[in-house]
Amino acid sequence: MHYRLSADPTLPHYIAVEAYLAAITTPAVELQLPAWRPGRYELQNFAKNIQRFDIVDGAGKPLPFHKITKDRWRIQTNGVTELVARYNYHALLATPYQLNAGSSFISDTLLYVNPVNLCLYAEGRIDEPCTLEIGVPDSWTLACGLKQQDATTLLAADFYELVDCPLIAAPVLQHIQYTVGDTPFHVWIQGGRRTDGAPTFDAERIQRDFRRFSETQLTLFGEFPEEAYHFLTLILPVPYYHGVEHRTSTVLVLGPNDEGEGLYQDLLGVASHELFHAWNIIRIRPAELLPYNFTRENYFTTCFVAEGVTTYYGDLMLRQSGIFSDEDYLKELQVLFKRHFENSGLAFQSLTESSWDLWLDGYEKGVPDRKVSVYHKGAIAALILDLHIRRATNHTRSLDNVMQQMWQQFGKPFIGYTLDDYRTITELVAGESLAWYYDLCIFGNEPLQPKLNEYLAWVGLQVVQEEPIAEQAGGIRLLELDDAGADGLLSRQHQMRWFGNPLTEPAHEGQAELVSEQKPGKDVVAK
């Protein structure tokens, strides 16, 4: 299918869409608009944003059609071999922020499109190649992970690739490049100016820091899944924090543009998280999501792996690459612990239940003490597992080995994994049954603070609940244990092994041996 996107000639904030389908051989065609987008596991019903819709043949003559579901149309072809769906899409959110990392937006100075929002596909032809033509001035810069046929035309191998490659086009985009191994990385920034006119970010600092955490992640997995990667970054004048992962790119939406160092720390955190997704969920994908079914819910129980493990590694990679100091990383850990224990530490649902119910209300607060965050509790569960494996093997193995095995068995061959697959690999790496871990951390709903503190003590840390006093608010606080003796020194050494880059240390001496034992074989939310 060929698509053309442009500004609606009469209505502001609408994107005009023309979708051309050729080589028709059937008496009827069904066109489907996705009901949800990868990275956000809830129905979003994008069809509600379509104002007008009509179908014509190649000569411009109307064809009869009717709507058969909320986002599906059946067209009587009357013997024609090609048709054009013509419609417009309202690209302005009903919020003061006007856009997020999963939406689309159009103005006089920006075209930002997530194709999954507004591109139809023909039933039975979702695997066919697609082209996407962008109606913007030739002087504008276009940034996208798709291959370009020319300055304004993009190519996709199929609909799955098309809708997993957002784009931004604008008169001015800041472009920062770096390379890791043979892989080029591109950082595109729109709106990257403070109100005083100065750049929001230091380009050299971005280049240096992004290269460091990219190298650390690539070293962990041993290779990068794609030929190139793009960080599509939108800076707003209001507070915002959102990122969405894609096959060859990520969209990052941050603000406010005048925040300074805090905004840069947010950029590092969300960028590292989303890059880790290039392996974990984009390629290391649950079997229930392979392939995506865009018409309905795709229920799965392992979002704690997809999002929780990624949340854990996003900040850890910044520490292990040397971008974050110990203090920086411990600060992020405290934020993580506060979000879970103060908001849902006593929640009824387990991680597997909350993974499933993302499709119900997972991105809303919901009723008190019902669900947990697969991001926050999932990251804490990942931390406990990592420290358990390290303690049991004296750092010769870790959660890194688990993710390497997941990549080799499921991600690299691109076959879906199950919860049982993940459990099998974690127990193989640990060298023992992890029934206690799954019963408590994954299938259970008992508070995790006692078990977490057991493992944090091994690295000289502890989570405490402090009562409020005049000088400071109470709540969850992460403390470093004050022990100057032999035990304290040993705890600090364990912490250094955890915080350091274990891939340059003996921590992975068992990696090659472990691989040989295996048969060859898968949305950061606003703060």
Side-chain angles (χ1 to χ4, degrees), residues 115-136:
V116 73
N117 297 161
L118 47 75
C119 287
L120 299 153
Y121 68 88
E123 182 61 41
R125 300 178 63 174
I126 196 170
D127 295 317
E128 294 181 4
C130 303
T131 57
L132 178 60
E133 182 184 353
I134 309 300
V136 296

Side-chain angles (χ1 to χ4, degrees), residues 110 366 400 407 414 475:
L110 174 64
D400 293 359
W407 168 247
F414 200 38

Side-chain angles (χ1 to χ4, degrees), residues 441-452:
C441 299
I442 308 303
F443 305 133
N445 63 355
E446 294 299 315
L448 291 185
Q449 189 168 337
K451 181 60 69 173
L452 173 64

Side-chain angles (χ1 to χ4, degrees), residues 373-419:
S373 167
V374 293
Y375 296 83
H376 305 150
K377 186 177 181 180
I380 293 170
L383 185 157
I384 291 172
L385 180 58
D386 190 18
L387 293 184
H388 174 77
I389 296 172
R390 289 174 178 275
R391 189 174 74 172
T393 66
N394 193 27
H395 295 284
T396 60
R397 292 181 181 178
S398 71
L399 189 59
D400 293 359
N401 296 102
V402 172
M403 297 313 297
Q404 289 158 359
Q405 288 300 300
M406 293 294 288
W407 168 247
Q408 291 296 328
Q409 292 192 53
F410 301 101
K412 192 170 183 177
F414 200 38
I415 57 176
Y417 73 90
T418 66
L419 176 56

Side-chain angles (χ1 to χ4, degrees), residues 201 205 209-210 213 241 254 259-272 314-315 318 323-325 327-329 331-332 527:
F201 302 118
R205 187 181 183 190
D209 289 346
F210 273 54
F213 73 69
Y241 182 98
L254 297 168
E259 186 181 2
E261 184 62 22
L263 183 65
Y264 184 69
Q265 294 299 309
D266 283 349
L267 174 66
L268 289 174
V270 70
S272 179
D315 289 332
L318 294 173
I323 299 170
F324 274 4
S325 65
E327 181 181 0
D328 293 330
Y329 183 59
K331 178 180 177 181
E332 295 302 321
K527 287 202 262 192

Side-chain angles (χ1 to χ4, degrees), residues 205-338:
R205 187 181 183 190
I206 284 181
Q207 188 179 60
R208 179 185 69 247
D209 289 346
F210 273 54
R211 179 183 288 114
R212 290 166 73 180
F213 73 69
S214 300
E215 287 175 341
T216 301
Q217 294 193 23
L218 196 148
T219 302
L220 190 157
F221 288 101
E223 58 191 315
F224 195 70
E226 303 296 337
E227 295 180 0
Y229 193 82
H230 301 259
F231 296 90
L232 307 178
T233 309
L234 302 168
I235 305 300
L236 304 182
V238 294
Y240 216 79
Y241 182 98
H242 192 206
V244 176
E245 69 276 7
H246 297 281
R247 186 181 302 189
T248 57
S249 64
T250 177
V251 177
L252 314 176
V253 181
L254 297 168
N257 57 334
D258 281 335
E259 186 181 2
E261 184 62 22
L263 183 65
Y264 184 69
Q265 294 299 309
D266 283 349
L267 174 66
L268 289 174
V270 70
S272 179
H273 175 109
E274 300 303 339
L275 183 62
F276 200 86
H277 272 313
W279 292 273
N280 190 29
I281 195 60
I282 298 300
R283 293 291 295 270
I284 306 172
R285 190 179 300 177
E288 299 92 334
L289 302 182
L290 196 62
Y292 294 130
N293 184 331
F294 292 111
T295 68
R296 59 170 175 78
E297 298 93 335
N298 291 215
Y299 295 107
F300 65 114
T301 59
T302 52
C303 202
F304 70 92
V305 180
E307 294 294 354
V309 170
T310 300
T311 298
Y312 172 62
Y313 268 108
D315 289 332
L316 184 62
M317 293 288 94
L318 294 173
R319 177 62 197 92
Q320 291 187 350
S321 62
I323 299 170
F324 274 4
S325 65
D326 288 0
E327 181 181 0
D328 293 330
Y329 183 59
L330 294 178
K331 178 180 177 181
E332 295 302 321
L333 278 184
Q334 174 163 302
V335 171
L336 171 68
F337 298 152
K338 286 180 71 68

